[in-house]
């Protein structure tokens, strides 16, 4: 009987997500992970941030709460527009097509998080890292945002790729994420049993990723490169484009 309630609630969450995706004219995926397990996997500084979101609800969530994890994918043309070359190097005008989609996805994710939180009587954890404050080093982000990747991995949105992004079996790692925490009794969705295998397309596309084991923190090199690019949003995406178009799964991915 209890199981039926969990399944019914999961179906309601999935339907709400599908309605939201249709409203925003986006494709995506939704899943559910165990709150305690997600919390325990986060870095201590991110646990503190999640605690800020949950407030006095934290003890209850740790007892039986869930994290609804969801993703939206950009259209294929936005990924195609990344890092095209013109006569004078990179064509940044076309690259900014991806920047605009990135911004649109963040807005849609934030709105959907609010809608799902309303439906599940939960708390929305927004997608966006836009406008989080001044960052002097990539580690500064750790205390400013909650990593959605941990919840996405545990909820089966995708597996953790060699580029550290979540790789969805349909949309590749070209997905952006947000989450909702809730005490609504919810059936959990299992983690993906797939992985990158022999693929190394993203490593071929980016020397920071290729040599990440030798760098102090490749994410800082990535952050500096993104600032150097100076696009309309703080994005690069070359490793995402490589995953979608060049990986061993390229014939299975479809945006
Ligand atoms: S976003 Fe760009 S710089 Fe950062 S890891 Fe991916 S390809 Fe490398
Ligand atoms: S490009 Fe290949 S190795 Fe990199 S994340 Fe995608 S599937 Fe994994």
């Amino acid at each position: 009987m209890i199981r039926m309630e969990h399944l019914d609630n999961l179906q309601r969450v999935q339907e709400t997500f599908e309605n939201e995706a249709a409203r925003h004219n986006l494709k995506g995926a939704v899943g559910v992970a165990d709150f305690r397990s997600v919390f325990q996997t986060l870095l201590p500084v991110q646990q503190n941030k999640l605690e800020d979101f949950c407030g006095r609800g934290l003890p209850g969530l740790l007892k039986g709460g869930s994290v609804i994890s969801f993703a939206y994918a950009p259209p294929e043309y936005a990924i195609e527009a990344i890092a095209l070359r013109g006569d004078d190097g990179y064509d940044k005008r076309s690259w900014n097509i991806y920047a605009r989609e990135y911004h649109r996805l963040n807005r849609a994710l934030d709105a959907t998080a609010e809608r799902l939180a309303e439906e599940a009587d939960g708390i929305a954890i927004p997608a966006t890292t836009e406008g989080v404050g001044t960052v002097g080093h990539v580690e500064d982000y750790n205390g400013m945002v909650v990593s959605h990747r941990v919840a996405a991995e545990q909820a089966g949105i995708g597996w953790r790729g060699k580029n550290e992004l979540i790789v969805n079996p349909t949309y590749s790692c070209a997905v952006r994420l947000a989450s909702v925490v809730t005490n609504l009794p919810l059936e959990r969705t299992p983690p993906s049993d797939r992985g990158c295998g022999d693929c190394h397309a993203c490593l071929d596309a980016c020397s920071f990723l290729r040599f990440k084991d030798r760098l102090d923190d490749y994410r800082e090199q990535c952050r500096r490169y993104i600032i150097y690019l100076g696009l309309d949003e703080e994005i690069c995406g070359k490793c995402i484009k490589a995953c979608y178009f060049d990986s061993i799964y390229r014939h299975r991915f479809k945006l």
Side-chain angles (χ1 to χ4, degrees):
M1 190 65 187
I2 292 173
R3 186 84 196 272
M4 277 308 295
E5 185 189 9
H6 283 63
L7 282 167
D8 285 349
N9 285 337
L10 175 62
Q11 192 176 3
R12 195 153 56 84
V13 163
Q14 287 168 331
E15 284 170 4
T16 303
F17 175 75
E18 280 160 23
N19 290 338
E20 277 291 289
R23 186 168 78 84
H24 292 287
N25 197 22
L26 287 168
K27 296 173 186 169
V30 65
V32 178
D34 175 65
F35 180 92
R36 172 182 278 276
S37 173
V38 171
F39 186 82
Q40 289 176 336
T41 310
L42 291 171
L43 295 170
V45 68
Q46 296 203 324
Q47 289 178 340
N48 293 341
K49 186 69 188 170
L50 185 52
E51 206 172 336
D52 287 348
F53 275 107
C54 300
R56 284 186 294 180
L58 185 70
L61 286 161
L62 284 168
K63 270 190 204 142
S66 299
V67 184
I68 302 168
S69 170
F70 58 100
Y72 281 145
E76 189 176 88
Y77 69 78
I79 301 303
E80 261 178 323
I82 294 169
L84 296 176
R85 287 198 175 270
D87 293 337
D88 305 320
Y90 284 123
D91 176 353
K92 294 196 179 173
R93 262 173 54 154
S94 75
W95 209 335
N96 274 325
I97 293 171
Y98 173 59
R100 284 195 289 278
E101 278 300 318
Y102 176 93
H103 181 74
R104 184 170 84 92
L105 254 55
N106 282 342
R107 297 280 78 79
L109 284 163
D110 290 351
T112 299
E114 291 296 336
R115 176 68 192 93
L116 285 171
E118 186 182 81
E119 186 68 33
D121 194 20
I123 299 162
I125 317 286
T128 183
T129 55
E130 296 171 36
V132 289
T134 308
V135 171
H137 190 278
V138 74
E139 285 186 0
D140 296 346
Y141 283 122
N142 292 342
M144 293 176 172
V145 295
V146 176
S147 167
H148 296 290
R149 294 180 201 172
V150 171
E153 195 175 2
Q154 295 189 15
I157 299 294
W159 69 87
R160 182 74 68 146
K162 290 180 186 172
N163 57 6
E164 304 299 334
L165 300 175
I166 298 299
V167 188
N168 177 268
T170 304
Y171 307 121
S172 77
C173 58
V175 289
R176 293 224 17 100
L177 303 161
S179 313
V180 168
V181 297
T182 177
N183 271 317
L184 185 74
L186 270 175
E187 185 74 5
R188 311 279 156 69
T189 53
S192 171
D193 57 3
R194 307 214 349 224
C196 293
D198 293 337
C199 185
H200 46 76
C202 56
L203 308 183
D204 293 344
C206 176
S207 53
F208 306 140
L209 287 173
R210 193 157 60 250
F211 299 117
K212 66 181 173 180
D213 293 341
R214 293 190 221 163
L215 294 167
D216 283 345
D217 189 340
Y218 83 91
R219 298 175 313 145
E220 177 59 11
Q221 315 295 326
C222 170
R223 187 187 75 86
R224 290 182 190 186
Y225 179 66
I226 283 170
I227 291 169
Y228 159 78
L229 280 176
L231 295 166
D232 289 348
E233 299 288 336
E234 292 188 356
I235 51 109
C236 158
K238 287 195 280 185
C239 53
I240 294 173
K241 185 174 188 177
C243 186
Y244 184 68
F245 283 110
D246 302 326
S247 75
I248 58 172
Y249 298 115
R250 62 189 177 280
H251 299 302
R252 294 194 205 165
F253 292 148
K254 185 71 198 129
L255 287 169

